[in-house]
Amino acid sequence: MHPRPSPIAATLYTLRDMNVDVIIMHGPTGCCFRTARLLEGDGVRVVTTGMSENDFILGAGEKLVDTLSEAYDAFKPELMGIAGTCASMIIGEDLKDAIATADLPCTVIPVESHGGSGEGDNTVGAIMALDAAVEAGVIPQQEADRQIEMLEKATEVEKTRGMAQGKYIKPNFGDSKEKVAKIVVNALKENKKVAFVLNVKKETSYLFADIINFNYKEINPDNKPVFVANLDENIGLPRIRQHAVNIKDQLDIEADFITGGLDEYPITGKAAAEFLKDKDLDLIVVFGVPHAFPIEEFDAESVAVTDGPRLVEPLRKLGFTHVVAELDAHSKTLGTDEIVFSDFGEMIRASIGWLDE
C-alpha cells in the first residue's frame, strides 16, 4: 500500500553500474526526477525526451530519434542507455526502431521499463536492463543470470522480511543513536564478544562502512570485534567491484571473513550467520541490509542499522533488540569513491571519546 522504489529507478541504477555515459529517459521531464538528478553526481548524463500530452496520443518516436542524435553530438558517448517510462511504454513506443533510425556510432541499450513492470517490484527494472544489455552484447549471459538470481532473491527478502509485505508500514526513525552507540562501545569495553556484519548494497557501502571505521584499541585493545563483510572485489560489474576495493583499502580493520560481493546482499547475510553461529556472541551489529541476516537464529543482544525508516518495525519483529535508521544513504554516496560519515558511526566515535568523562 505504501510507495516503494520504482522499476524505472532500478533500470537507471543498473545502467549506471554498466558504466553507460548517457541515459535517455523516454518520457516526461519530471519522470523519476530525483533519481535522474542523483545519477548526474555519479558522472552519468541523464536527459529526457520531454514527452507531453500530445505525444501520449500521437507518439514521440521522432522526439526519441532527435534526442539520441542530440545527446550523441553533445557528449560523444561510447555507451548509451534508453529507459522507458510509464508514458512511453503504455502507448507502445518502439525504442529499437528509434535506435536503428538514429544509426549512431555507439552502443545503445534499450530498456522497456515502466512503473508497473511485472508486479511493480523495483528489481524487475534491473532485470530488464540486464536482459537488454545481454542482447546488446554489453555483458555476458552468465553474469546476467547470476545477477538476476540475486535480484529475485532480493525481492523474496523484501516480501518476506522487509517493507514489501503487502501492508502499510508507518515510517519510524528508530532508537536513539547515542543510546545504542554507548551500548556497542560499553560491550567492547566490558570484554563482551561483539560481531559487526557489513551486509550492504552497492554504493551505500561507503556510508555503512563508516560504522566500523573506528579504532577498537581506544576502547579495549584486548577485545577485537569480529568483522565480516560482503566485500569480495572479484564479483559483480566493474563499478561494483571497485567499490569493494576502495572500502577495503580505506578501512583500518580487516574482515575476518568475506561473505560475498556487494550485489549478493540477499544471500551474504546467511553466509555471515553461518560463520558466526559458533562464536558465542554477546552482541551482533548488522548494518546495510540487516533484514537479510537471520537474527532469529541467535540468542544475543543485537543492533540493526538500516537506511529505510519503513524497515524499522519489520526489523524489530524479526528479533533485533535495537534498530537505528540512517537517512539518505543513496544521495550521500552517489558520486563518491571514499567512505562518508554516517550518523551512527560518528556517534560511536563520540561515545569512545566520552569513556573517560
Side-chain angles (χ1 to χ4, degrees):
M1 291 177 64
H2 55 75
R4 293 194 58 229
S6 164
I8 304 170
T11 290
L12 298 177
Y13 281 122
T14 305
L15 288 170
R16 181 276 315 266
D17 291 343
M18 296 174 196
N19 287 331
V20 301
D21 304 298
V22 178
I23 299 173
I24 296 173
M25 296 193 64
H26 189 28
T29 55
C31 187
C32 255
F33 164 80
R34 176 173 167 79
T35 303
R37 281 292 180 88
L38 287 174
L39 285 177
E40 292 274 348
D42 248 350
V44 183
R45 305 303 179 203
V46 183
V47 298
T48 84
T49 53
M51 289 180 70
S52 62
E53 289 183 351
N54 284 340
D55 299 319
F56 302 161
I57 300 169
L58 302 174
E62 289 186 9
K63 277 190 174 181
L64 179 54
V65 172
D66 291 343
T67 306
L68 278 163
S69 298
E70 188 175 344
Y72 182 80
D73 291 341
F75 305 113
K76 297 298 187 293
E78 294 182 6
L79 182 61
M80 297 177 68
I82 302 175
T85 64
C86 299
S88 60
M89 292 300 97
I90 286 173
I91 65 173
E93 292 284 89
D94 191 334
L95 307 185
K96 293 179 181 178
D97 181 67
I99 293 170
T101 301
D103 193 25
L104 301 177
C106 69
T107 301
V108 184
I109 306 172
V111 188
E112 296 180 348
S113 56
H114 60 84
S117 299
E119 295 182 6
D121 295 320
N122 61 316
T123 49
V124 173
I127 290 170
M128 295 172 77
L130 291 165
D131 285 336
V134 171
E135 187 174 344
V138 175
I139 62 173
Q141 184 68 57
Q142 183 179 5
E143 175 62 15
D145 290 343
R146 184 193 67 80
Q147 293 209 31
I148 289 170
E149 180 184 2
M150 291 301 107
L151 289 163
E152 289 172 344
K153 289 182 181 296
T155 298
E156 180 183 352
V157 168
E158 289 298 334
K159 287 188 172 181
T160 58
R161 301 173 65 85
M163 65 176 182
Q165 298 178 49
K167 59 183 179 181
Y168 179 80
I169 304 172
K170 183 179 179 180
N172 186 315
F173 296 98
D175 300 317
S176 161
K177 293 181 179 69
E178 178 181 341
K179 175 184 174 181
V180 179
K182 287 179 177 178
I183 289 171
V184 173
V185 171
N186 285 328
L188 288 167
K189 181 182 179 182
E190 295 166 5
N191 281 313
K192 292 182 179 180
K193 297 189 72 172
V194 180
F196 287 84
V197 179
L198 179 72
N199 191 62
V200 77
K201 188 176 180 180
K202 300 185 178 182
E203 71 276 356
T204 59
S205 53
Y206 288 114
L207 180 137
F208 287 109
D210 186 57
I211 291 170
I212 192 66
N213 201 18
F214 65 89
N215 186 356
Y216 75 91
K217 294 179 181 178
E218 294 180 7
I219 306 171
N220 184 345
D222 300 318
N223 188 22
K224 179 181 180 294
V226 179
F227 176 43
V228 299
N230 60 326
L231 291 174
D232 190 331
E233 68 269 31
N234 299 307
I235 295 175
L237 296 170
R239 181 185 291 264
I240 304 305
R241 296 201 304 268
Q242 188 60 50
H243 294 333
V245 171
N246 294 343
I247 289 167
K248 289 168 80 172
D249 286 346
Q250 292 168 36
L251 283 177
D252 290 332
I253 188 171
E254 289 188 13
D256 298 287
F257 181 63
I258 299 295
T259 56
L262 287 172
D263 62 8
E264 294 188 311
Y265 60 91
I267 63 172
T268 48
K270 290 182 179 179
E274 184 66 23
F275 176 77
L276 297 173
K277 67 179 182 181
D278 298 324
K279 298 291 188 290
D280 192 25
L281 298 166
D282 298 300
L283 177 65
I284 304 171
V285 185
V286 188
F287 36 109
V289 187
H291 47 300
F293 182 88
I295 192 62
E296 63 273 15
E297 297 177 6
F298 291 84
D299 183 18
E301 189 173 13
S302 56
V303 177
V305 189
T306 176
D307 65 345
R310 295 184 194 272
L311 278 166
V312 171
E313 285 304 322
L315 286 164
R316 285 174 173 159
K317 289 179 181 179
L318 288 175
F320 281 98
T321 317
H322 315 282
V323 182
V324 170
E326 289 279 353
L327 301 181
D328 300 322
H330 282 290
S331 60
K332 289 178 179 178
T333 55
L334 283 172
T336 188
D337 57 6
E338 296 180 347
I339 293 173
V340 300
F341 282 127
S342 68
D343 292 336
F344 189 54
E346 190 76 344
M347 191 56 68
I348 288 176
R349 290 186 290 273
S351 297
I352 295 172
W354 297 333
L355 281 173
D356 297 327
E357 295 182 4

